Amino acid sequence: MLDQSLTALPAKPGVGYKPQHFAAILADPGPVGWLEVHAENYMGAGGRPLAQLRHLAERFPISVHGVGLSIGGEGPLDRDHLMRLKHLCGWLNPASFSEHLAWSTHDSAYLNDLLPLPYTAATLARVADHVDEVQDVLGRRMLLENPSTYIAFAESTLGELDFLAEVARRTGCGLLLDVNNVHVSGTNQNHDPVAYLDAFPLHLVGEIHLGGHDADRDDRGRPLLIDSHGAEVADPVWSLFARVIRRAGAIPTLIEWDNDVPEWPVLAAEATRAARILEPVA
């Protein structure tokens, strides 16, 4: 019988699973209540990665996070990629599936990055069509993640929040709120992240991401933040996260650390810090 506790993400901290942490997670997960994996790492036919994931899925709710669908791409979605994703979600039955509001393909080329979109009526229609297709194929609701951005498009006619809310209205999808992305984009484009979060449709949010970033300077000496996922969550991001939780209540929250991955105790400490913010309102 399917364990119903594994079919929904608990309002607790989760972490992005890395194979080097497999034994440590099973021995002592600490405050970690769920795990997230990148879909593209588990679309193969077998081997140790899939065996480990099957083992973990018997003990933890799993969130599948896609990085390669190119939801905002001008061309059609890659049908083969989508069918491999369907197969993965079919046997894994994850508690959640999410993707990015971004594009990463052009013609037959795949770009190893998540690139921003102009917020126009035409882009909105295309993204909504792609989200509909993904949800139809997978037979499940997906979450769409707000991007980290470094530039703004002159042709944009919609604000990012209006764009996200309208995609959700048209398709019935949920949203994934990446708080670090809000801080990065606000710093890079001189927008107020507090005002952005206060206006965010939190009733649509099924998952929150917290990650680290790198600080740099642009050619004019102005602050430039890079969404690197390679460091601890910065103090300003923790403050923004606490503000969101005070307003919305406890929401499943992921510690996202994909580069320069630390030893398990460092990642578990970040999850503990998230738990201290979530638990009083859970």
Side-chain angles (χ1 to χ4, degrees):
M1 180 180 296
L2 180 65
D3 186 342
Q4 294 302 313
S5 69
L6 303 178
T7 61
L9 297 182
K12 296 179 179 181
V15 296
Y17 170 65
K18 298 296 181 288
Q20 60 264 43
H21 297 150
F22 179 74
I25 290 172
L26 291 178
D28 182 10
V32 172
W34 55 281
L35 303 171
E36 185 164 278
V37 297
H38 287 171
E40 287 73 14
N41 292 336
Y42 295 92
M43 290 183 175
R48 177 175 291 182
L50 288 183
Q52 289 184 340
L53 180 57
R54 290 179 188 274
H55 194 67
L56 291 169
E58 295 174 353
R59 292 158 175 79
F60 297 92
I62 303 293
S63 173
V64 171
H65 190 51
V67 297
L69 273 178
S70 194
I71 289 286
E74 288 190 342
L77 297 179
D78 184 326
R79 196 70 181 179
D80 289 341
H81 186 106
L82 191 51
M83 296 312 294
R84 289 194 297 272
L85 177 61
K86 179 181 181 179
H87 176 72
L88 171 63
C89 290
W91 68 259
L92 181 59
N93 191 29
S96 178
F97 171 72
S98 57
E99 249 286 359
H100 300 82
L101 178 61
W103 63 278
S104 55
T105 55
H106 181 66
D107 292 334
S108 59
Y110 179 81
L111 309 172
N112 191 26
D113 210 340
L114 297 167
L115 301 169
L117 300 165
Y119 298 135
T120 65
T123 307
L124 175 61
R126 182 170 71 249
V127 169
D129 285 346
H130 286 170
V131 169
D132 276 337
E133 182 180 358
V134 172
Q135 293 185 139
D136 287 346
V137 170
L138 298 186
R140 63 175 61 237
R141 187 188 195 211
M142 66 168 281
L143 306 179
L144 188 64
E145 179 181 345
N146 60 293
S148 58
T149 57
Y150 307 90
I151 59 171
F153 288 89
E155 70 247 54
S156 289
T157 57
L158 296 166
E160 184 170 284
L161 289 179
D162 292 334
F163 190 97
L164 286 165
E166 182 61 15
V167 172
R169 188 193 70 79
R170 293 188 185 188
T171 66
C173 78
L175 299 179
L176 189 161
L177 172 57
D178 190 312
V179 179
N180 182 65
N181 287 358
V182 173
H183 177 64
V184 166
S185 299
T187 300
N188 292 341
Q189 299 194 52
N190 197 30
H191 298 158
D192 181 5
V194 171
Y196 180 100
L197 287 172
D198 284 352
F200 204 93
L202 294 179
H203 64 287
L204 297 174
V205 174
E207 187 179 323
I208 289 176
H209 278 189
L210 301 174
H213 57 258
D214 294 333
D216 204 342
R217 295 276 174 178
D218 67 14
D219 292 340
R220 298 182 181 180
R222 295 174 299 194
L224 176 67
L225 301 184
I226 308 298
D227 181 30
S228 63
H229 297 180
E232 294 176 332
V233 178
D235 286 342
V237 177
W238 283 118
S239 296
L240 293 172
F241 170 61
R243 185 182 182 91
V244 168
I245 296 305
R246 285 195 300 269
R247 176 182 160 206
I251 295 173
T253 298
L254 182 82
I255 302 298
E256 197 172 27
W257 200 322
D258 299 320
N259 299 302
D260 298 323
V261 178
E263 297 296 319
W264 174 248
V266 176
L267 197 57
E270 291 286 272
T272 297
R273 187 167 181 180
R276 292 194 185 109
I277 295 172
L278 291 168
E279 286 171 356
V281 298

